[in-house]
Amino acid sequence: MRARDKAAVSALRATLAALDNAEAAPVGEAESRGVALEESPVGAGATEAARRELSECGVAEIVRAEATERLDAARQLSSPAHADRVARLRAEAAVLLRFLD
């Protein structure tokens, strides 16, 4: 990271965001409706929901999906004008695939 590898930074930031989203607690239909004031929770953190715990396999699936997404996008860009973007997408995918070895 000290070499300021922009492809690695971009890939890792996007993957961390995907992992963060995957850990988010689902909002049920009942939770999204308002409740009467006297039934509302009180106190610090009373409305916080526990986040999901991802298994190692779940994390690997998300990292693999992020790498695959980049490789698919690189395959779809066939114009020579997009050569730089294709190279960057492939570099990002390579960074992510290193974590799966």
Side-chain angles (χ1 to χ4, degrees):
M1 295 298 178
R2 289 188 177 223
R4 299 195 189 260
D5 185 356
K6 291 182 181 182
V9 171
S10 176
L12 293 174
R13 281 186 180 159
T15 303
L16 286 173
L19 290 168
D20 195 39
N21 288 340
E23 291 176 336
V27 177
E29 188 177 319
E31 295 172 10
S32 63
R33 282 189 256 141
V35 294
L37 184 59
E38 61 273 5
E39 294 176 11
S40 64
V42 178
T47 58
E48 292 183 15
R51 296 183 65 80
R52 292 182 192 165
E53 292 280 332
L54 291 178
S55 66
E56 187 175 329
C57 184
V59 170
E61 285 178 22
I62 292 170
V63 172
R64 188 173 291 108
E66 289 289 313
T68 302
E69 181 179 314
R70 282 162 177 74
L71 291 173
D72 289 344
R75 275 187 228 110
Q76 291 176 0
L77 295 173
S78 59
S79 170
H82 297 294
D84 290 341
R85 179 72 177 140
V86 169
R88 184 172 177 143
L89 286 168
R90 288 188 178 144
E92 289 180 12
V95 167
L96 296 175
L97 291 173
R98 274 189 272 158
F99 287 102
L100 297 176
D101 292 336

Coordinates of all heavy atoms in Angstrom, one line a residue:
M1 N 0.8 -1.2 0.0 CA 0.0 0.0 0.0 C 0.9 1.3 0.0 O 0.4 2.3 -0.5 CB -0.9 0.0 1.2 CG -1.9 -1.0 1.3 SD -3.0 -0.9 -0.1 CE -4.1 -2.2 0.1
R2 N 2.1 1.2 0.6 CA 2.9 2.4 0.6 C 3.3 2.8 -0.8 O 3.7 3.9 -1.0 CB 4.1 2.1 1.5 CG 3.7 2.0 2.9 CD 4.9 1.9 3.8 NE 4.4 1.9 5.2 CZ 5.0 2.6 6.1 NH1 6.0 3.4 5.9 NH2 4.5 2.6 7.3
A3 N 3.4 1.9 -1.7 CA 3.7 2.2 -3.1 C 2.5 2.9 -3.8 O 2.6 3.2 -4.9 CB 4.2 1.0 -3.8
R4 N 1.5 3.1 -3.1 CA 0.2 3.7 -3.6 C -0.3 3.0 -4.8 O -0.5 3.6 -5.9 CB 0.5 5.2 -3.9 CG 0.8 5.9 -2.6 CD 0.7 7.4 -2.8 NE 1.3 8.1 -1.7 CZ 0.5 8.6 -0.7 NH1 -0.8 8.5 -0.7 NH2 1.1 9.2 0.3
D5 N -0.4 1.7 -4.7 CA -1.0 0.8 -5.8 C -2.5 1.1 -5.8 O -3.2 0.6 -5.1 CB -0.7 -0.6 -5.4 CG -1.1 -1.6 -6.6 OD1 -1.7 -1.1 -7.6 OD2 -0.8 -2.8 -6.4
K6 N -2.8 1.9 -6.8 CA -4.2 2.4 -6.9 C -5.2 1.2 -7.2 O -6.3 1.2 -6.7 CB -4.4 3.4 -8.0 CG -3.7 4.7 -7.6 CD -3.9 5.8 -8.6 CE -3.2 7.1 -8.2 NZ -3.4 8.1 -9.2
A7 N -4.7 0.2 -8.0 CA -5.6 -0.9 -8.3 C -5.9 -1.7 -7.0 O -7.0 -2.1 -6.7 CB -5.0 -1.8 -9.3
A8 N -4.8 -1.9 -6.2 CA -5.0 -2.7 -4.9 C -5.9 -1.9 -4.0 O -6.8 -2.5 -3.4 CB -3.7 -3.0 -4.3
V9 N -5.7 -0.6 -3.8 CA -6.5 0.2 -2.9 C -8.0 0.2 -3.3 O -8.9 0.0 -2.5 CB -5.9 1.6 -2.8 CG1 -6.9 2.5 -2.1 CG2 -4.6 1.6 -2.2
S10 N -8.2 0.4 -4.6 CA -9.6 0.4 -5.1 C -10.3 -1.0 -4.9 O -11.4 -1.0 -4.5 CB -9.5 0.7 -6.6 OG -10.8 0.7 -7.2
A11 N -9.6 -2.1 -5.2 CA -10.1 -3.4 -5.1 C -10.4 -3.7 -3.6 O -11.5 -4.2 -3.3 CB -9.2 -4.4 -5.7
L12 N -9.5 -3.4 -2.7 CA -9.7 -3.7 -1.3 C -10.8 -2.8 -0.7 O -11.6 -3.3 0.1 CB -8.4 -3.5 -0.6 CG -7.3 -4.5 -1.0 CD1 -6.0 -4.2 -0.3 CD2 -7.7 -5.9 -0.6
R13 N -10.9 -1.6 -1.1 CA -11.9 -0.7 -0.5 C -13.3 -1.2 -1.0 O -14.2 -1.3 -0.2 CB -11.8 0.7 -1.0 CG -10.7 1.5 -0.2 CD -10.7 2.9 -0.6 NE -9.7 3.6 0.2 CZ -9.2 4.8 -0.2 NH1 -9.5 5.3 -1.3 NH2 -8.3 5.3 0.6
A14 N -13.5 -1.6 -2.2 CA -14.7 -2.1 -2.7 C -15.1 -3.4 -2.1 O -16.3 -3.6 -1.7 CB -14.7 -2.2 -4.2
T15 N -14.1 -4.2 -1.9 CA -14.4 -5.6 -1.3 C -14.7 -5.4 0.2 O -15.6 -6.1 0.7 CB -13.2 -6.5 -1.5 OG1 -12.9 -6.6 -2.9 CG2 -13.5 -7.9 -0.9
L16 N -14.1 -4.5 0.9 CA -14.4 -4.3 2.3 C -15.8 -3.7 2.4 O -16.6 -4.1 3.3 CB -13.4 -3.3 2.9 CG -12.0 -3.9 3.3 CD1 -11.1 -2.8 3.7 CD2 -12.1 -5.0 4.3
A17 N -16.2 -2.9 1.5 CA -17.6 -2.4 1.5 C -18.6 -3.5 1.2 O -19.7 -3.6 1.9 CB -17.8 -1.3 0.4
A18 N -18.3 -4.4 0.3 CA -19.2 -5.5 0.0 C -19.3 -6.4 1.3 O -20.4 -6.9 1.6 CB -18.6 -6.3 -1.2
L19 N -18.2 -6.6 2.0 CA -18.2 -7.5 3.2 C -19.0 -6.8 4.3 O -19.8 -7.4 5.0 CB -16.8 -7.7 3.7 CG -15.9 -8.7 2.8 CD1 -14.5 -8.6 3.3 CD2 -16.5 -10.1 2.9
D20 N -18.9 -5.5 4.4 CA -19.6 -4.7 5.4 C -21.1 -4.8 5.0 O -21.9 -5.0 6.0 CB -19.2 -3.2 5.3 CG -19.7 -2.5 6.5 OD1 -19.7 -3.0 7.7 OD2 -20.0 -1.3 6.4
N21 N -21.5 -4.7 3.8 CA -22.9 -4.8 3.4 C -23.4 -6.2 3.7 O -24.6 -6.4 4.1 CB -23.1 -4.5 1.9 CG -22.9 -3.0 1.6 OD1 -23.1 -2.2 2.5 ND2 -22.6 -2.7 0.4
A22 N -22.6 -7.2 3.5 CA -23.1 -8.6 3.7 C -23.3 -8.9 5.2 O -24.1 -9.7 5.6 CB -22.0 -9.6 3.2
E23 N -22.6 -8.2 6.0 CA -22.7 -8.3 7.5 C -23.9 -7.6 8.1 O -24.2 -7.7 9.2 CB -21.4 -7.9 8.2 CG -20.3 -8.9 7.9 CD -19.0 -8.4 8.6 OE1 -18.9 -7.1 8.8 OE2 -18.1 -9.2 8.8
A24 N -24.5 -6.7 7.3 CA -25.6 -5.9 7.8 C -26.8 -6.7 8.1 O -27.1 -7.7 7.5 CB -26.0 -4.8 6.7
A25 N -27.4 -6.4 9.2 CA -28.6 -7.1 9.7 C -29.8 -6.8 8.7 O -30.0 -5.6 8.3 CB -29.0 -6.7 11.1
P26 N -30.5 -7.8 8.4 CA -31.7 -7.6 7.5 C -32.8 -6.8 8.3 O -33.0 -7.0 9.5 CB -32.2 -9.0 7.1 CG -31.7 -9.9 8.2 CD -30.4 -9.2 8.7
V27 N -33.5 -6.0 7.6 CA -34.6 -5.2 8.2 C -35.9 -6.0 7.8 O -36.2 -6.1 6.7 CB -34.6 -3.8 7.7 CG1 -35.8 -3.0 8.3 CG2 -33.3 -3.1 8.0
G28 N -36.5 -6.5 8.9 CA -37.8 -7.2 8.7 C -38.9 -6.2 8.4 O -38.8 -5.0 8.8
E29 N -40.0 -6.7 7.9 CA -41.1 -5.8 7.6 C -41.7 -5.2 8.9 O -42.1 -4.0 9.0 CB -42.2 -6.6 6.9 CG -43.3 -5.7 6.4 CD -44.3 -6.5 5.6 OE1 -43.9 -7.3 4.8 OE2 -45.5 -6.2 5.7
A30 N -41.8 -6.0 9.9 CA -42.3 -5.5 11.2 C -41.4 -4.5 11.8 O -41.9 -3.6 12.5 CB -42.5 -6.7 12.2
E31 N -40.1 -4.6 11.6 CA -39.2 -3.6 12.2 C -39.3 -2.3 11.5 O -38.9 -1.2 12.1 CB -37.8 -4.1 12.2 CG -37.6 -5.4 13.0 CD -36.2 -6.0 12.8 OE1 -35.4 -5.3 12.1 OE2 -36.0 -7.1 13.2
S32 N -39.7 -2.2 10.3 CA -39.7 -1.0 9.5 C -40.9 -0.2 9.8 O -40.9 1.0 9.5 CB -39.5 -1.3 8.0 OG -40.6 -2.0 7.6
R33 N -41.9 -0.8 10.3 CA -43.2 0.0 10.7 C -43.0 0.7 12.0 O -42.3 0.2 12.9 CB -44.4 -0.9 10.8 CG -44.9 -1.3 9.4 CD -46.2 -2.1 9.5 NE -45.8 -3.5 9.3 CZ -46.3 -4.5 9.9 NH1 -47.2 -4.3 10.8 NH2 -46.0 -5.7 9.6
G34 N -43.6 1.8 12.1 CA -43.5 2.6 13.4 C -44.3 1.9 14.5 O -45.2 1.2 14.2
V35 N -43.9 2.2 15.7 CA -44.6 1.6 16.9 C -45.1 2.8 17.7 O -44.6 3.9 17.5 CB -43.7 0.7 17.7 CG1 -43.3 -0.5 16.9 CG2 -42.5 1.4 18.2
A36 N -46.0 2.5 18.6 CA -46.5 3.6 19.5 C -45.4 4.1 20.3 O -44.4 3.4 20.6 CB -47.6 3.0 20.3
L37 N -45.4 5.3 20.7 CA -44.4 6.0 21.4 C -44.1 5.2 22.7 O -42.9 5.0 23.1 CB -44.8 7.4 21.7 CG -43.7 8.3 22.5 CD1 -42.4 8.3 21.6 CD2 -44.2 9.7 22.7
E38 N -45.1 4.8 23.4 CA -44.9 4.1 24.7 C -44.3 2.7 24.5 O -43.8 2.1 25.4 CB -46.2 3.9 25.5 CG -47.3 3.2 24.8 CD -48.2 4.0 23.9 OE1 -47.9 5.2 23.7 OE2 -49.2 3.5 23.4
E39 N -44.3 2.2 23.2 CA -43.7 0.9 23.0 C -42.3 1.0 22.4 O -41.6 0.0 22.2 CB -44.5 0.1 22.0 CG -45.9 -0.3 22.5 CD -46.7 -1.0 21.5 OE1 -46.2 -1.4 20.4 OE2 -47.9 -1.2 21.8
S40 N -41.8 2.2 22.2 CA -40.5 2.4 21.6 C -39.4 2.1 22.6 O -39.5 2.3 23.7 CB -40.4 3.8 21.0 OG -40.4 4.7 22.1
P41 N -38.3 1.5 22.0 CA -37.1 1.2 22.9 C -36.5 2.5 23.5 O -36.5 3.5 22.8 CB -36.2 0.5 22.0 CG -36.6 0.8 20.7 CD -38.0 1.2 20.7
V42 N -35.9 2.4 24.7 CA -35.3 3.5 25.3 C -33.9 3.2 25.8 O -33.6 2.1 26.2 CB -36.2 3.9 26.6 CG1 -35.5 5.1 27.3 CG2 -37.6 4.3 26.2
G43 N -33.0 4.1 25.7 CA -31.7 3.9 26.1 C -30.7 3.9 25.0 O -31.0 3.7 23.8
A44 N -29.4 4.1 25.4 CA -28.3 4.1 24.4 C -28.2 2.8 23.7 O -28.1 1.8 24.4 CB -27.0 4.5 25.0
G45 N -28.2 2.7 22.4 CA -28.1 1.5 21.7 C -29.3 0.6 21.6 O -29.2 -0.5 21.2
A46 N -30.4 1.1 22.1 CA -31.6 0.3 22.2 C -32.1 -0.1 20.8 O -32.8 -1.1 20.7 CB -32.7 1.0 23.0
T47 N -31.8 0.7 19.8 CA -32.3 0.4 18.5 C -31.3 -0.3 17.6 O -31.5 -0.5 16.4 CB -32.9 1.6 17.8 OG1 -31.8 2.6 17.7 CG2 -34.0 2.2 18.6
E48 N -30.1 -0.6 18.1 CA -29.1 -1.2 17.3 C -29.4 -2.7 17.1 O -29.8 -3.3 18.1 CB -27.7 -1.0 17.9 CG -27.3 0.4 17.9 CD -25.9 0.6 18.5 OE1 -25.2 -0.4 18.7 OE2 -25.5 1.7 18.8
A49 N -29.1 -3.2 15.9 CA -29.3 -4.6 15.7 C -27.9 -5.3 15.6 O -26.9 -4.7 15.1 CB -30.0 -4.8 14.4
A50 N -27.9 -6.5 16.0 CA -26.6 -7.2 15.9 C -26.3 -7.5 14.4 O -27.2 -7.8 13.6 CB -26.7 -8.6 16.6
R51 N -25.0 -7.4 14.1 CA -24.6 -7.7 12.7 C -24.4 -9.2 12.5 O -24.1 -9.9 13.5 CB -23.3 -6.9 12.4 CG -23.5 -5.4 12.5 CD -22.3 -4.6 12.1 NE -21.9 -4.8 10.7 CZ -22.4 -4.1 9.7 NH1 -23.5 -3.4 9.8 NH2 -21.9 -4.3 8.5
R52 N -24.5 -9.6 11.3 CA -24.2 -11.0 11.0 C -22.8 -11.3 11.1 O -21.9 -10.5 10.8 CB -24.7 -11.3 9.5 CG -26.1 -11.2 9.3 CD -26.4 -11.6 7.8 NE -27.7 -11.2 7.5 CZ -28.2 -11.2 6.2 NH1 -27.4 -11.4 5.2 NH2 -29.4 -10.9 6.0
E53 N -22.5 -12.5 11.4 CA -21.1 -13.0 11.5 C -20.9 -13.8 10.2 O -21.5 -14.8 10.0 CB -20.9 -13.9 12.7 CG -20.9 -13.2 14.0 CD -19.6 -12.4 14.3 OE1 -18.6 -12.9 13.8 OE2 -19.7 -11.4 15.0
L54 N -19.9 -13.4 9.4 CA -19.6 -14.2 8.2 C -18.6 -15.2 8.5 O -17.6 -15.0 9.2 CB -19.1 -13.3 7.1 CG -20.0 -12.3 6.5 CD1 -19.3 -11.4 5.4 CD2 -21.2 -13.0 5.8
S55 N -18.8 -16.4 7.9 CA -17.8 -17.5 8.1 C -16.7 -17.2 7.1 O -16.7 -16.4 6.2 CB -18.4 -18.8 7.8 OG -18.8 -18.9 6.4
E56 N -15.6 -17.9 7.3 CA -14.4 -17.8 6.4 C -14.8 -18.1 5.0 O -14.4 -17.5 4.0 CB -13.3 -18.7 6.9 CG -12.0 -18.5 6.1 CD -10.9 -19.3 6.7 OE1 -10.9 -19.6 7.9 OE2 -10.0 -19.7 5.9
C57 N -15.7 -19.1 4.8 CA -16.2 -19.5 3.5 C -17.0 -18.4 2.9 O -16.9 -18.1 1.7 CB -17.0 -20.8 3.6 SG -17.5 -21.5 2.1
G58 N -17.8 -17.8 3.7 CA -18.7 -16.7 3.3 C -17.8 -15.5 2.8 O -18.1 -14.9 1.8
V59 N -16.8 -15.2 3.5 CA -15.9 -14.1 3.1 C -15.2 -14.5 1.8 O -15.1 -13.6 0.9 CB -14.8 -13.8 4.3 CG1 -13.7 -12.9 3.8 CG2 -15.5 -13.3 5.5
A60 N -14.7 -15.7 1.7 CA -14.1 -16.1 0.5 C -15.0 -16.0 -0.7 O -14.6 -15.6 -1.8 CB -13.5 -17.6 0.6
E61 N -16.3 -16.4 -0.5 CA -17.3 -16.3 -1.6 C -17.4 -14.8 -2.1 O -17.5 -14.6 -3.3 CB -18.6 -16.8 -1.2 CG -18.7 -18.3 -1.1 CD -20.1 -18.8 -0.6 OE1 -21.1 -18.0 -0.7 OE2 -20.1 -19.9 -0.1
I62 N -17.5 -13.9 -1.1 CA -17.6 -12.5 -1.5 C -16.4 -12.0 -2.2 O -16.5 -11.3 -3.2 CB -17.9 -11.7 -0.2 CG1 -19.3 -12.0 0.3 CG2 -17.9 -10.2 -0.5 CD1 -19.7 -11.5 1.6
V63 N -15.2 -12.3 -1.8 CA -14.0 -11.9 -2.4 C -13.9 -12.5 -3.8 O -13.6 -11.8 -4.8 CB -12.7 -12.3 -1.6 CG1 -11.5 -12.1 -2.4 CG2 -12.7 -11.6 -0.3
R64 N -14.3 -13.8 -4.0 CA -14.3 -14.4 -5.3 C -15.3 -13.7 -6.2 O -15.1 -13.5 -7.4 CB -14.7 -15.9 -5.1 CG -14.5 -16.7 -6.4 CD -14.7 -18.2 -6.2 NE -13.6 -18.7 -5.4 CZ -13.6 -19.1 -4.2 NH1 -14.7 -19.1 -3.5 NH2 -12.6 -19.6 -3.6
A65 N -16.5 -13.4 -5.7 CA -17.5 -12.7 -6.5 C -17.0 -11.3 -6.9 O -17.3 -10.9 -8.1 CB -18.8 -12.6 -5.7
E66 N -16.3 -10.6 -6.1 CA -15.8 -9.3 -6.5 C -14.7 -9.4 -7.6 O -14.7 -8.6 -8.5 CB -15.2 -8.6 -5.2 CG -16.2 -8.1 -4.2 CD -17.0 -6.9 -4.7 OE1 -16.4 -6.0 -5.3 OE2 -18.2 -7.0 -4.6
A67 N -13.9 -10.5 -7.5 CA -12.9 -10.7 -8.5 C -13.5 -11.1 -9.8 O -13.2 -10.6 -10.9 CB -11.9 -11.8 -8.1
T68 N -14.5 -12.0 -9.7 CA -15.3 -12.4 -10.9 C -16.0 -11.2 -11.6 O -16.0 -11.1 -12.8 CB -16.3 -13.5 -10.6 OG1 -15.6 -14.6 -10.0 CG2 -17.0 -14.0 -11.8
E69 N -16.5 -10.4 -10.8 CA -17.2 -9.2 -11.3 C -16.3 -8.3 -12.1 O -16.6 -7.8 -13.2 CB -17.8 -8.4 -10.2 CG -18.6 -7.2 -10.6 CD -19.1 -6.4 -9.4 OE1 -19.7 -7.1 -8.5 OE2 -19.0 -5.2 -9.3
R70 N -15.1 -8.1 -11.6 CA -14.1 -7.3 -12.4 C -13.6 -8.0 -13.6 O -13.4 -7.4 -14.7 CB -12.9 -7.1 -11.4 CG -13.2 -6.0 -10.5 CD -12.3 -6.0 -9.3 NE -12.5 -4.9 -8.4 CZ -13.6 -4.8 -7.6 NH1 -14.4 -5.8 -7.5 NH2 -13.8 -3.8 -6.8
L71 N -13.4 -9.3 -13.6 CA -13.0 -10.1 -14.8 C -14.1 -10.0 -15.9 O -13.8 -9.9 -17.0 CB -12.6 -11.5 -14.4 CG -11.3 -11.6 -13.6 CD1 -11.1 -13.0 -13.2 CD2 -10.1 -11.1 -14.4
D72 N -15.3 -10.2 -15.4 CA -16.4 -10.1 -16.4 C -16.5 -8.8 -17.0 O -16.8 -8.6 -18.3 CB -17.8 -10.5 -15.7 CG -17.9 -11.9 -15.3 OD1 -17.1 -12.8 -15.9 OD2 -18.7 -12.3 -14.5
A73 N -16.4 -7.7 -16.2 CA -16.4 -6.4 -16.8 C -15.3 -6.1 -17.8 O -15.4 -5.5 -18.8 CB -16.4 -5.3 -15.7
A74 N -14.1 -6.7 -17.5 CA -12.9 -6.5 -18.4 C -13.2 -7.2 -19.7 O -12.8 -6.8 -20.7 CB -11.7 -7.1 -17.7
R75 N -13.9 -8.4 -19.6 CA -14.2 -9.1 -20.9 C -15.2 -8.4 -21.7 O -15.2 -8.5 -23.0 CB -14.7 -10.5 -20.5 CG -13.7 -11.6 -20.3 CD -14.3 -12.9 -20.1 NE -13.6 -13.5 -19.0 CZ -14.2 -13.8 -17.8 NH1 -15.5 -13.5 -17.6 NH2 -13.5 -14.3 -16.8
Q76 N -16.1 -7.7 -21.1 CA -17.1 -6.9 -21.9 C -16.6 -5.7 -22.5 O -17.1 -5.2 -23.5 CB -18.3 -6.6 -20.9 CG -19.0 -7.8 -20.5 CD -20.1 -7.4 -19.5 OE1 -20.3 -6.3 -19.1 NE2 -20.9 -8.4 -19.0
L77 N -15.5 -5.1 -22.0 CA -14.9 -3.9 -22.6 C -13.9 -4.4 -23.7 O -12.8 -4.7 -23.5 CB -14.2 -3.1 -21.6 CG -15.0 -2.5 -20.5 CD1 -14.2 -1.9 -19.4 CD2 -16.0 -1.5 -21.1
S78 N -14.4 -4.4 -25.0 CA -13.6 -4.8 -26.1 C -12.9 -3.7 -26.9 O -12.1 -4.0 -27.7 CB -14.5 -5.7 -27.0 OG -15.5 -5.0 -27.5
S79 N -13.4 -2.5 -26.7 CA -12.9 -1.4 -27.5 C -11.4 -1.1 -27.1 O -11.1 -1.1 -25.9 CB -13.7 -0.2 -27.3 OG -13.1 1.0 -27.8
P80 N -10.5 -0.8 -28.1 CA -9.2 -0.4 -27.7 C -9.1 0.9 -26.8 O -8.2 1.0 -26.1 CB -8.5 -0.2 -29.1 CG -9.3 -0.9 -30.0 CD -10.7 -0.9 -29.5
A81 N -10.1 1.7 -26.9 CA -10.2 2.9 -26.1 C -10.3 2.6 -24.6 O -9.9 3.4 -23.8 CB -11.3 3.8 -26.5
H82 N -10.7 1.4 -24.3 CA -10.9 1.0 -22.9 C -9.7 0.1 -22.4 O -9.9 -0.5 -21.3 CB -12.2 0.2 -22.7 CG -13.4 1.0 -23.0 ND1 -13.8 2.0 -22.3 CD2 -14.3 0.9 -24.0 CE1 -14.9 2.5 -22.8 NE2 -15.3 1.9 -23.8
A83 N -8.6 0.1 -23.1 CA -7.5 -0.8 -22.7 C -7.0 -0.5 -21.3 O -6.7 -1.4 -20.5 CB -6.4 -0.7 -23.7
D84 N -6.9 0.8 -20.9 CA -6.5 1.1 -19.6 C -7.4 0.6 -18.5 O -7.0 0.1 -17.5 CB -6.3 2.7 -19.4 CG -5.2 3.2 -20.3 OD1 -4.3 2.4 -20.6 OD2 -5.2 4.4 -20.5
R85 N -8.7 0.8 -18.8 CA -9.7 0.3 -17.8 C -9.7 -1.2 -17.7 O -9.8 -1.8 -16.6 CB -11.1 0.8 -18.3 CG -12.2 0.3 -17.4 CD -12.2 1.1 -16.1 NE -13.3 0.7 -15.3 CZ -13.3 0.5 -14.0 NH1 -12.2 0.7 -13.3 NH2 -14.3 0.1 -13.3
V86 N -9.5 -1.9 -18.8 CA -9.4 -3.4 -18.8 C -8.2 -3.8 -18.0 O -8.3 -4.7 -17.1 CB -9.3 -3.9 -20.2 CG1 -9.0 -5.4 -20.2 CG2 -10.7 -3.7 -20.9
A87 N -7.1 -3.2 -18.2 CA -5.8 -3.5 -17.4 C -6.0 -3.2 -15.9 O -5.6 -4.1 -15.1 CB -4.7 -2.7 -17.9
R88 N -6.7 -2.2 -15.6 CA -7.0 -1.9 -14.2 C -7.9 -2.9 -13.5 O -7.7 -3.4 -12.4 CB -7.5 -0.5 -14.0 CG -7.7 -0.1 -12.6 CD -8.0 1.4 -12.4 NE -8.3 1.6 -11.0 CZ -7.9 2.7 -10.4 NH1 -7.4 3.7 -11.1 NH2 -8.1 2.9 -9.1
L89 N -9.0 -3.3 -14.3 CA -9.9 -4.3 -13.7 C -9.2 -5.6 -13.5 O -9.4 -6.3 -12.5 CB -11.1 -4.4 -14.7 CG -12.1 -3.3 -14.7 CD1 -13.0 -3.4 -15.9 CD2 -12.9 -3.3 -13.4
R90 N -8.4 -6.0 -14.5 CA -7.6 -7.3 -14.3 C -6.6 -7.2 -13.2 O -6.4 -8.2 -12.5 CB -6.9 -7.6 -15.6 CG -7.9 -8.0 -16.7 CD -7.2 -8.6 -17.9 NE -8.2 -9.0 -18.9 CZ -8.1 -8.9 -20.2 NH1 -7.1 -8.3 -20.7 NH2 -9.1 -9.3 -21.0
A91 N -6.0 -6.0 -13.0 CA -5.1 -5.9 -11.9 C -5.8 -6.0 -10.5 O -5.3 -6.6 -9.6 CB -4.3 -4.5 -12.0
E92 N -7.0 -5.4 -10.5 CA -7.8 -5.4 -9.2 C -8.2 -6.9 -8.9 O -8.2 -7.3 -7.8 CB -9.0 -4.5 -9.4 CG -8.7 -3.1 -9.3 CD -10.0 -2.2 -9.4 OE1 -11.1 -2.7 -9.4 OE2 -9.8 -1.0 -9.6
A93 N -8.6 -7.6 -10.0 CA -9.0 -9.0 -9.8 C -7.8 -9.8 -9.3 O -8.0 -10.7 -8.5 CB -9.6 -9.6 -11.1
A94 N -6.6 -9.6 -9.9 CA -5.5 -10.3 -9.5 C -5.1 -10.1 -8.0 O -4.8 -11.0 -7.3 CB -4.3 -9.9 -10.3
V95 N -5.3 -8.8 -7.5 CA -5.1 -8.5 -6.1 C -6.0 -9.4 -5.2 O -5.6 -10.0 -4.2 CB -5.3 -7.0 -5.8 CG1 -5.4 -6.7 -4.4 CG2 -4.2 -6.2 -6.5
L96 N -7.3 -9.4 -5.6 CA -8.3 -10.1 -4.8 C -8.0 -11.6 -4.9 O -8.2 -12.3 -3.9 CB -9.7 -9.8 -5.3 CG -10.1 -8.4 -5.1 CD1 -11.5 -8.1 -5.7 CD2 -10.1 -8.0 -3.7
L97 N -7.7 -12.1 -6.0 CA -7.4 -13.6 -6.2 C -6.2 -14.0 -5.4 O -6.1 -15.2 -4.9 CB -7.3 -14.0 -7.6 CG -8.6 -13.8 -8.5 CD1 -8.3 -14.1 -9.9 CD2 -9.6 -14.8 -7.9
R98 N -5.3 -13.1 -5.1 CA -4.1 -13.5 -4.3 C -4.5 -13.8 -2.8 O -3.9 -14.6 -2.2 CB -3.1 -12.3 -4.2 CG -2.1 -12.3 -5.3 CD -1.1 -11.3 -5.1 NE -1.5 -10.1 -5.7 CZ -1.1 -8.9 -5.3 NH1 -0.2 -8.7 -4.4 NH2 -1.6 -7.8 -5.9
F99 N -5.6 -13.2 -2.4 CA -6.1 -13.5 -1.0 C -6.8 -14.9 -0.9 O -7.0 -15.4 0.2 CB -7.1 -12.5 -0.6 CG -6.4 -11.2 -0.2 CD1 -6.4 -10.1 -1.1 CD2 -5.7 -11.0 0.9 CE1 -5.8 -8.9 -0.8 CE2 -5.1 -9.8 1.3 CZ -5.1 -8.8 0.4
L100 N -7.2 -15.5 -2.1 CA -7.9 -16.8 -2.1 C -6.9 -17.9 -2.2 O -7.3 -19.1 -2.0 CB -8.9 -16.8 -3.2 CG -10.0 -15.8 -3.1 CD1 -10.8 -15.9 -4.4 CD2 -10.8 -16.0 -1.9
D101 N -5.7 -17.7 -2.5 CA -4.7 -18.8 -2.6 C -4.3 -19.3 -1.3 O -4.3 -18.8 -0.3 CB -3.5 -18.3 -3.4 CG -3.8 -18.1 -4.8 OD1 -4.8 -18.6 -5.3 OD2 -3.0 -17.3 -5.4

